[in-house]
Amino acid sequence: MSNYASHSVLKEIEPSQLWWKNTYEPSDTVPVSGIYICAGCKKEITSNKDDPFPPQNHHQHTAHQGKIRWKLNVRTNTTGD
């Protein structure tokens, strides 16, 4: 789970864009820069827009956790996003 030191540095929004709702497979293209969480094991990564998500062998899952799929958790504002 992402942590923060002060709630004043984060802004809660209504997630209307699809990149908040979609999940992404390993090696898919990152739609927006941010912190992504794995839906199966809750491991977090930071990824930059237009880079690929980590490959399937980035980390391993048990059968119970299912396949690796990334979901946007915190969007970072960067130039060009």
Side-chain angles (χ1 to χ4, degrees), residues 66-78:
K67 62 183 182 173
I68 296 171
R69 18 193 226 292
W70 300 107
K71 185 165 176 49
L72 182 61
N73 195 33
V74 176
R75 181 175 181 221
T76 55
N77 284 331
T78 59

Side-chain angles (χ1 to χ4, degrees), residues 5-46:
S6 170
H7 70 287
S8 66
V9 298
L10 296 176
K11 179 174 104 177
E12 186 173 359
I13 57 116
E14 184 63 35
S16 59
Q17 286 86 1
L18 285 178
W19 28 262
W20 284 107
K21 300 172 185 177
N22 289 346
T23 57
Y24 303 93
E25 303 287 325
S27 300
D28 279 352
T29 300
V30 176
V32 293
S33 297
I35 301 170
Y36 288 79
I37 189 166
C38 180
C41 69
K42 308 304 180 209
K43 179 176 179 62
E44 291 179 320
I45 59 166
T46 57

Side-chain angles (χ1 to χ4, degrees), residues 56-67:
Q56 182 69 31
N57 65 356
H58 176 259
H59 69 282
Q60 299 301 312
H61 275 191
T62 65
H64 175 69
Q65 293 170 319
K67 62 183 182 173

